[in-house]
Amino acid sequence: MLQFQIQSDSDIPASKQLFDQIRFAIASRQYPPGHRLPSTRQLATITGLHRNTISKVYQQLEESGLVESIAGSGIYVKAQRHEDPSLPDSPLFSKYPHASQLIHKSLDELLWQGLTLTQVKELFLTAIDWRLRCSAKVLVTVPNRDLGAGELILQELEKALAIPVQLVPMEELAQILSKTQSGTVVTSRYFIAEAESIASPYATRVIPLDIYDYVKELAMIKELPTDTRLGIVSLSVGIISVAEILIHSLRGDDLLLIAAQASDRHQLLALVRSAQTIITDPASYPIVKQAILAVRDDLIRPPDVICSENYIGEKSINLLKRELGLG
């Protein structure tokens, strides 16, 4: 940040001193197009001027066409016409007006480093082509010991991304990647280190996914009456294991905890006959409902079935969409 100096004993008004110093910073490219100016609070601390005075200076700069105010973001140096050429054959620039500034700024920085336009074009096209190729093949990987977690991720990603996704056991990942020119590997953050070590020799991105926090479900479990028979059903043995630890930490031996994998029908039928409340993941929910129907004649009162949120957090899904260029 430039160190603005205001001479209080000068005949030149303080506001004009600040205006001229900022205008010089813009003219000399110390503040290039797109640069965010200090906030009024920051400048007030530096210069000793009142924030209202600084706001008026910023207003003058905006009226002069040197800066522009972006609501909720700040004051930015405005690109001049020659620095922000219109691209009439690209309607996307009308839809995303700041994209033009970002692209031209990136081009300027690369050209300043000594690259030619031809080299810049090659860099951009290579990077874009690589991302497109990576996005064309998405692999979900988890260890064989917890393929259920991979199935959960697979189902949720196919629904959220609307593209084909392939489940690959981590033990077979290297073999698959050796036959793949490029791709994107996704896995739970539990397994990210192992996935990265396997994928590192190949032209592949590895993206970790954050799991759902189960805050609502844990809050509900805290309120269950003592001695409630609580069932946990999931495709994933990992989820069941973590759930058992978390529930025990919350309630100790206050609850009778029963767990079953959705794929183990014998164990599942025993669970639905005993449990008063069942918590299950979305993929296992219809399997649990079918199991309850299968033993309905043995039940005095059907258990309450609570379906949790998705296994993968919404924020993580949105991040993956962005990384894959899906919006």
Side-chain angles (χ1 to χ4, degrees):
M1 184 184 295
L2 293 177
Q3 295 300 313
F4 297 107
Q5 302 292 332
I6 303 298
Q7 301 297 330
S8 58
D9 57 353
S10 172
D11 293 335
I12 302 173
S15 60
K16 180 167 174 52
Q17 291 183 51
L18 181 60
F19 177 88
D20 287 343
Q21 289 181 59
I22 296 176
R23 186 166 62 170
F24 172 77
I26 294 172
S28 63
R29 284 273 179 156
Q30 296 179 72
Y31 280 177
H35 181 84
R36 185 177 184 274
L37 272 62
S39 67
T40 56
R41 184 185 299 275
Q42 288 174 308
L43 268 187
T45 301
I46 294 168
T47 63
L49 298 178
H50 195 279
R51 290 177 66 182
N52 288 343
T53 300
I54 297 169
S55 294
K56 291 177 182 177
V57 170
Y58 278 176
Q59 185 177 349
Q60 287 179 300
L61 289 165
E62 189 166 8
E63 291 170 353
S64 301
L66 296 174
V67 303
E68 59 182 337
S69 174
I70 299 178
S73 181
I75 307 292
Y76 294 82
V77 176
K78 188 176 180 180
Q80 303 305 305
R81 185 176 297 274
H82 74 283
E83 296 168 323
D84 188 19
S86 59
L87 298 174
D89 59 339
S90 299
L92 282 174
F93 283 111
S94 299
K95 186 175 180 180
Y96 304 102
H98 296 294
S100 177
Q101 289 184 24
L102 180 60
I103 289 173
H104 288 295
K105 183 178 180 181
S106 299
L107 285 171
D108 286 343
E109 290 179 355
L110 291 170
L111 292 173
W112 272 104
Q113 291 180 25
L115 280 76
T116 66
L117 277 174
T118 301
Q119 291 173 323
V120 172
K121 178 182 177 181
E122 182 179 345
L123 287 175
F124 270 103
L125 290 178
T126 300
I128 291 170
D129 179 64
W130 182 72
R131 284 223 174 187
L132 287 172
R133 286 188 287 113
C134 285
S135 301
K137 191 173 187 67
V138 179
L139 306 175
V140 172
T141 190
V142 294
N144 261 318
R145 65 181 182 273
D146 197 8
L147 281 180
E151 184 62 36
L152 280 174
I153 297 173
L154 178 76
Q155 291 186 25
E156 292 179 12
L157 291 189
E158 285 188 330
K159 181 179 178 181
L161 305 180
I163 61 173
V165 181
Q166 180 181 353
L167 175 59
V168 178
M170 198 167 287
E171 292 80 0
E172 301 173 20
L173 183 59
Q175 180 183 356
I176 296 296
L177 293 181
S178 68
K179 302 175 183 178
T180 304
Q181 290 187 341
S182 55
T184 297
V185 173
V186 296
T187 188
S188 162
R189 200 171 288 278
Y190 277 112
F191 311 122
I192 187 62
E194 190 175 352
E196 285 182 334
S197 67
I198 295 170
S200 58
Y202 306 99
T204 305
R205 289 188 300 172
V206 181
I207 299 177
L209 297 172
D210 297 324
I211 66 172
Y212 172 62
D213 59 20
Y214 296 98
V215 169
K216 294 178 184 177
E217 291 76 16
L218 291 172
M220 182 274 294
I221 289 169
K222 289 178 69 174
E223 300 302 321
L224 288 175
T226 299
D227 296 329
T228 295
R229 298 188 299 277
L230 174 63
I232 301 295
V233 180
S234 177
L235 293 181
S236 166
V237 293
I239 290 180
I240 292 173
S241 176
V242 171
E244 288 175 334
I245 292 170
L246 291 176
I247 293 169
H248 184 74
S249 70
L250 282 176
R251 298 295 303 266
D253 296 325
D254 284 352
L255 304 177
L256 176 60
L257 189 59
I258 317 163
Q261 270 191 276
S263 57
D264 188 334
R265 183 165 176 79
H266 177 75
Q267 192 177 19
L268 178 60
L269 291 176
L271 181 147
V272 298
R273 286 190 179 98
S274 301
Q276 296 167 295
T277 299
I278 299 174
I279 299 178
T280 181
D281 58 54
S284 304
Y285 181 77
I287 301 173
V288 172
K289 298 296 283 187
Q290 289 174 3
I292 293 173
L293 286 175
V295 298
R296 61 183 180 276
D297 293 339
D298 300 336
L299 301 176
I300 298 175
R301 178 179 177 276
D304 295 324
V305 183
I306 298 165
C307 184
S308 68
E309 298 280 350
N310 285 349
Y311 178 54
I312 302 302
E314 182 179 358
K315 187 175 180 180
S316 200
I317 291 284
N318 291 335
L319 176 61
L320 181 59
K321 282 184 177 180
R322 189 182 70 193
E323 288 293 325
L324 295 175
L326 299 177

